[in-house]
Amino acid sequence: MDWQEHWKRWDEEKDLDEDLRSQLAVLDEAELEDAFYKELEFGTGGMRGKLGPGTNRMNVYTVRKAAQGLAAYVKNQKAENGSIVIAYDSRYLSKTFAEETARVAGANGVKAYVFSSLRPTPELSFAVRHLKATAGVVITASHNPPEYNGFKAYNEDGGQLPLAQAEEMITLVKEVENELYVHTEEVSALEEKGLFEWIDEEVDRAYMEAVQGIRLSDDIDKGMSIIFTPLHGTAHPLVTDSLTRAGFSNVRIVEEQAQPDPEFSTVASPNPEEPQAFTLAIEEGKKTGAELLIATDPDADRVGLAVPDKSGEYQVLTGNQTGALMLDYILANDSTLPENKTLIKTIVTSEMGRAVASKYGAKTLDTLTGFKFIGEKIREFERSGEGTFAFGYEESYGYLVQSFVRDKDAVQASLLAAELAAHWKKKGYTLLEALEELYKEHGYYMEGMDSLKLEGRAGTEKIGRMVDRFRNMSPETFGGVSVRAVEDYQSSIRRYMDGQEEAIELPQSNVVKFLLSEDSWFCLRPSGTEPKLKCYYGVKSSSREESRKLLETLSEEVMNELNLVK
């Protein structure tokens, strides 16, 4: 069908949801085409999109279609008492979508455990494992703008579906012929049948007990002043409770951002990667002299930190900087880790992590971008015994301290951040000063990213042409730095400048990475969740200023090449 036929199918449906019908009636032709020209893609991590009517939007019908595919997946696993766990964040329609998912599951004979109120993504991952469920779903669009929501799927290990399982589920979702006619049952009827169960406090207690187990030392300054903001999301009770249980006695909340709010009305973006997200926390910090600011995103899988410099101005740490500090602290203080301890990071995460890990005799393993691949490697370690998970992180503010969760966990990371800062305070250092010591020891690693937003069909096609332009290049230098090799993750080939080639032992992906001299690199990757091309950069030199100049030059040259693509 073309988009007009899909639109007509919806427009003529007599039982169409009335809110969606009203929204449909005011769309112009261009908006209608964008809403119906394709189906909202269910990818390897689930689906995410704008709310509204249409096959290319998040609504009760596209959610039901995804839920039907998930129910079929669960039944295919042939697990005894197959079940799913469902959590949801503070976004528009999140609870509605959670209940619709449970209604579809129950109609297929699959039991759903549904959190009775907002819970973060990491607790969903924990709950799947704790309840021995077959799968899990969290309704969230992470840090996307308010008009977005999403459906993120998990397997029985509590990790996002690895590629083979994801492909199976994608196929099952595509087999649903008409999203308007997916069968559901009422919650009350499913409760009577034992196919729907609300969950809350028992899982909370078990999760919080596990979180307390990440602590490495009590020989720290627990009276340090901390300000926390959940950015209108799900993290407030869990993060504050975990800090209180650990003995931190001077924790304040940014009250204007403490309550869930689907509009995220006090920030331009509820993303701790963006310095503006810390505006209110910084204002509060300056009033009180806070020594550490912590911010989590709406579904509490990402966390950002800010600390005051010598002039009293707050500096927001990058994800790479925070990850290096956390890794160094863990490896220096966790005596239980065996010799085969391993850092797991992504291919666009700083090489500084590898240098820190090497100092402590730890191995480093790279994965594709996305925490699902880190979770998958943890499971492989458990089966093979070839490594022991020591820490996992990615540049986009995602960290996992211990593996009772199989996704990035801002609750664990917030507690570790407080302990880390309190540890260095007792030694007379701020986190910025501790970071400077790492730079002096390992070199001045510096990273950056450019993001190009290109929406719609034309944008998607242009992103493809941009990546292909770099895929077909063989420059000797880039940004004034020698090129050592080009990694094409779509063909799984690493091509060296002397003509030699070798296989890349990672899943195929539409990603191109250039390896430069002196641990420098850049990488082009289309986002899997937004209409964006992301360009990542990493450099290293013997000084901060030299690294800054290298980064600027590299970014400028890459952007100039991209601007040549029509």
Side-chain angles (χ1 to χ4, degrees):
M1 296 184 186
D2 59 22
W3 72 264
Q4 290 99 333
E5 291 175 291
H6 282 296
W7 163 66
K8 187 175 182 181
R9 180 167 58 85
W10 276 53
D11 191 51
E12 293 178 351
E13 174 52 50
K14 60 182 178 62
D15 294 324
L16 192 74
D17 177 88
E18 288 303 318
D19 286 339
L20 292 174
R21 187 181 298 282
S22 298
Q23 296 172 48
L24 199 62
V26 298
L27 298 182
D28 61 29
E29 184 170 339
E31 291 169 327
L32 285 171
E33 180 178 5
D34 193 50
F36 286 97
Y37 86 92
K38 67 174 184 177
E39 294 183 351
L40 187 61
E41 182 178 354
F42 195 100
T44 57
M47 66 182 187
R48 187 181 302 182
K50 291 182 178 179
L51 294 162
T55 57
N56 189 31
R57 296 287 184 267
M58 283 289 295
N59 52 64
V60 292
Y61 301 111
T62 53
V63 167
R64 287 174 183 172
K65 180 174 181 176
Q68 180 61 44
L70 178 64
Y73 165 84
V74 170
K75 293 173 78 171
N76 282 355
Q77 306 312 300
K78 300 191 180 342
E80 186 177 355
N81 301 318
S83 60
I84 61 174
V85 185
I86 306 171
Y88 53 94
D89 70 4
S90 56
R91 290 178 175 273
Y92 287 115
L93 296 175
S94 281
K95 187 172 184 179
T96 296
F97 291 163
E99 291 187 8
E100 290 297 328
T101 300
R103 291 177 65 203
V104 172
N108 283 270
V110 174
K111 181 172 182 174
Y113 296 95
V114 186
F115 279 101
S116 59
S117 58
L118 311 183
R119 292 297 189 284
T121 290
E123 188 173 0
L124 179 279
S125 173
F126 174 85
V128 171
R129 297 170 58 80
H130 180 70
L131 295 170
K132 296 180 172 56
T134 318
V137 172
V138 60
I139 304 298
T140 180
S142 189
H143 55 278
N144 281 69
E147 64 269 22
Y148 281 77
N149 212 328
F151 180 108
K152 191 186 292 187
Y154 290 76
N155 68 2
E156 77 285 358
D157 193 49
Q160 294 181 51
L161 297 177
L163 293 177
Q165 289 179 321
E167 290 297 331
E168 177 186 352
M169 187 165 163
I170 291 168
T171 299
L172 292 169
V173 172
K174 288 180 177 178
E175 288 177 358
V176 180
E177 293 183 358
N178 191 330
E179 69 282 349
L180 300 177
Y181 293 108
V182 174
H183 182 53
T184 65
E185 289 192 31
E186 294 299 323
V187 169
S188 57
L190 294 173
E191 286 180 306
E192 290 180 6
K193 296 178 182 179
L195 292 173
F196 186 110
E197 182 178 336
W198 295 106
I199 56 172
D200 41 45
E201 294 179 1
E202 189 277 327
V203 178
D204 291 343
R205 286 193 295 270
Y207 173 62
M208 291 304 292
E209 187 67 26
V211 169
Q212 289 301 304
I214 75 167
R215 294 162 55 191
L216 292 174
S217 175
D218 281 320
D219 186 23
I220 55 177
D221 186 343
K222 294 185 178 180
M224 71 176 302
S225 177
I226 300 171
I227 287 177
F228 169 61
T229 172
L231 298 179
H232 303 294
T234 61
H236 181 187
L238 296 182
V239 168
T240 52
D241 187 31
S242 68
L243 292 173
T244 300
R245 288 193 191 192
F248 289 95
S249 57
N250 192 4
V251 180
R252 294 180 177 86
I253 308 301
V254 178
E255 293 297 337
E256 300 94 322
Q257 297 173 328
Q259 296 304 313
D261 174 10
E263 276 297 313
F264 311 112
S265 51
T266 66
V267 290
S269 170
N271 184 358
E273 293 180 79
E274 304 290 342
Q276 59 79 26
F278 281 88
T279 299
L280 292 182
I282 289 173
E283 289 177 6
E284 185 71 17
K286 288 184 175 180
K287 292 177 187 175
T288 62
E291 297 156 284
L292 176 66
L293 312 182
I294 302 174
T296 54
D297 71 343
D299 67 321
D301 61 355
R302 300 172 193 246
V303 63
L305 308 180
V307 290
D309 60 20
K310 291 180 179 179
S311 70
E313 294 299 317
Y314 284 89
Q315 304 297 321
V316 178
L317 299 181
T318 69
N320 285 310
Q321 291 170 336
T322 298
L325 285 165
M326 288 180 170
L327 175 66
D328 179 73
Y329 179 71
I330 289 170
L331 294 180
N333 291 279
D334 190 347
S335 60
T336 67
L337 290 170
E339 289 187 1
N340 66 350
K341 54 187 176 290
T342 305
L343 160 69
I344 310 178
K345 71 177 191 66
T346 73
I347 61 172
V348 297
T349 300
S350 173
E351 287 299 297
M352 188 173 186
R354 193 185 309 276
V356 171
S358 180
K359 171 189 173 181
Y360 294 99
K363 299 177 182 177
T364 298
L365 182 67
D366 288 311
T367 71
L368 291 178
T369 306
F371 228 87
K372 62 181 293 174
F373 297 107
I374 294 177
E376 188 177 5
K377 286 298 179 184
I378 295 172
R379 192 176 194 182
E380 288 180 13
F381 282 175
E382 291 177 343
R383 289 173 171 174
S384 69
E386 293 179 357
T388 298
F389 174 73
F391 184 60
Y393 77 110
E394 58 186 4
E395 96 301 333
S396 54
Y397 288 57
Y399 318 96
L400 181 61
V401 185
Q402 288 190 12
S403 61
F404 55 84
V405 166
R406 295 298 164 91
D407 205 345
K408 48 189 179 286
D409 187 343
V411 182
Q412 288 190 51
S414 294
L415 179 56
L416 179 65
E419 182 175 319
L420 170 71
H423 162 83
W424 283 111
K425 181 188 176 184
K426 187 163 185 177
K427 289 181 174 291
Y429 290 82
T430 68
L431 286 184
L432 288 176
E433 291 166 337
L435 181 64
E436 184 67 20
E437 292 302 308
L438 287 183
Y439 285 141
K440 289 177 181 177
E441 181 176 4
H442 300 291
Y444 282 82
Y445 289 84
M446 192 173 292
E447 295 76 33
M449 184 183 75
D450 291 316
S451 182
L452 301 177
K453 189 172 185 178
L454 298 164
E455 294 189 301
R457 179 185 298 177
T460 299
E461 292 172 350
K462 186 171 183 179
I463 287 173
R465 292 194 297 273
M466 286 176 163
V467 178
D468 283 342
R469 180 179 183 85
F470 279 83
R471 176 173 283 121
N472 296 319
M473 292 175 65
S474 297
E476 293 184 359
T477 63
F478 227 105
V481 184
S482 299
V483 177
R484 295 191 297 110
V486 179
E487 295 182 332
D488 182 351
Y489 288 84
Q490 188 161 274
S491 64
S492 299
I493 295 294
R494 181 180 297 109
R495 187 177 73 253
Y496 290 93
M497 292 304 100
D498 61 5
Q500 296 186 56
E501 295 184 350
E502 63 185 20
I504 297 173
E505 302 297 333
L506 288 174
Q508 289 183 318
S509 183
N510 186 24
V511 175
V512 177
K513 183 176 182 180
F514 283 65
L515 305 181
L516 312 178
S517 61
E518 294 297 325
D519 267 356
S520 296
W521 55 273
F522 71 92
C523 180
L524 276 69
R525 182 183 74 88
S527 171
T529 57
E530 302 171 271
K532 291 180 178 179
L533 174 64
K534 294 187 175 182
C535 306
Y536 304 84
Y537 314 98
V539 300
K540 175 194 171 187
S541 77
S542 58
S543 74
R544 186 186 307 276
E545 183 60 23
E546 185 180 351
S547 289
R548 186 189 63 78
K549 290 179 180 178
L550 278 172
L551 196 62
E552 289 179 357
T553 301
L554 188 57
S555 170
E556 182 178 358
E557 189 163 334
V558 170
M559 288 297 103
N560 287 341
E561 285 291 335
L562 290 174
N563 287 334
L564 297 175
V565 178
K566 303 302 181 184

